[in-house]
Amino acid sequence: MDDRGMRGLAPRILLINPNTNRATTAMMVAIAQAEAGDAMIVEGATAASGVPMILDEAALAASAEQVVAIGAGAAGAAGMIVAAFGDPGLETLRGRVTVPVVGLCEAGMLEAAAGGRRFGVATTTPALAATIDAKARALGLGPLYTGIRLTPGDPAALVGDPELLETALADAVALAIERDGAEAVVIGGGPLGRAASALERRFAVPVIGPIPAAIRRLARLLQER
């Protein structure tokens, strides 16, 4: 069987971007597909309304409705990824569909904490810090969680400058390791996906990109079904 035939048999995964930025969707789909290889076919869906980048709790909460509407209205997907680090609408969507649904924050934290590792988060959005902290506790990972290290400056401007973003996140990762004692660090954000991929190779401890982590978690869940 040729590659096209093999891909035709692969499960289709829907990556839902709660932001309205289609370029971000395309970038996240590319990262997810690279991780999935021929084992899955990743397709993207972008929120029709909302903000181009979720920066605070109000925007995060508002995006949940779009996530649920997209996911519940989709047909033929074997699994879904909620591709924003606050996991908006994750639990509601799980209650509406019969396929596995994973979130970036959940997947990243669970992978980082594997084997009892202490882990932290490096991200760009201070207004979402409380939500991220709460997620660690809700997952039962509070005793392993070393906290958040934030990049300085405006998050949207930073994401618009890939070189500066990578440098700023590298500094945050270094602080999480050196000052907080993190044994693994999750990069906290879907739009930070390219920077996360670059940083995976720069540190002795695991630096976890949440998009590949979500693909790996989804693959395990599909195997268990």
Side-chain angles (χ1 to χ4, degrees):
M1 184 178 295
D2 62 20
D3 289 345
R4 288 178 298 176
M6 290 295 291
R7 285 183 62 80
L9 297 174
R12 185 169 68 87
I13 303 304
L14 181 63
L15 182 147
I16 304 170
N17 179 13
N19 302 302
T20 60
N21 191 321
R22 293 182 181 276
T24 299
T25 305
M27 177 268 289
M28 292 193 292
V29 166
I31 292 171
Q33 189 64 70
E35 179 65 30
D38 292 332
M40 304 176 189
I41 299 170
V42 183
E43 300 175 355
T46 307
S49 63
V51 295
M53 182 177 176
I54 295 171
L55 300 176
D56 56 39
E57 292 185 6
L60 184 71
S63 71
E65 183 177 345
Q66 286 281 309
V67 168
V68 175
I70 292 170
M80 301 181 187
I81 296 172
V82 178
F85 200 68
D87 296 347
L90 178 62
E91 296 302 331
T92 302
L93 181 56
R94 280 177 171 158
R96 300 280 185 89
V97 298
T98 59
V99 299
V101 185
V102 304
L104 297 190
C105 186
E106 174 191 72
M109 286 186 171
L110 289 173
E111 184 168 310
R117 287 186 301 210
R118 287 170 52 79
F119 74 95
V121 171
T123 191
T124 61
T125 48
L128 291 174
T131 296
I132 295 169
D133 289 344
K135 186 73 174 186
R137 294 192 297 271
L139 291 169
L141 302 176
L144 300 174
Y145 179 55
T146 64
I148 296 175
R149 286 290 175 173
L150 294 160
T151 56
D154 175 63
L158 196 58
V159 169
D161 186 333
E163 185 175 345
L164 186 60
L165 174 63
E166 184 179 332
T167 299
L169 281 171
D171 290 343
V173 170
L175 288 174
I177 297 167
E178 296 164 8
R179 298 195 182 177
D180 304 333
E183 297 168 307
V185 182
V186 185
I187 302 299
L192 314 181
R194 284 202 185 101
S197 297
L199 292 173
E200 288 174 358
R201 302 181 292 272
R202 290 181 57 174
F203 292 89
V205 309
V207 176
I208 296 168
I211 300 167
I215 287 288
R216 291 188 288 266
R217 179 163 175 75
L218 198 51
R220 288 192 294 272
L221 293 174
L222 288 172
Q223 288 174 354
E224 293 168 1
R225 288 173 71 86

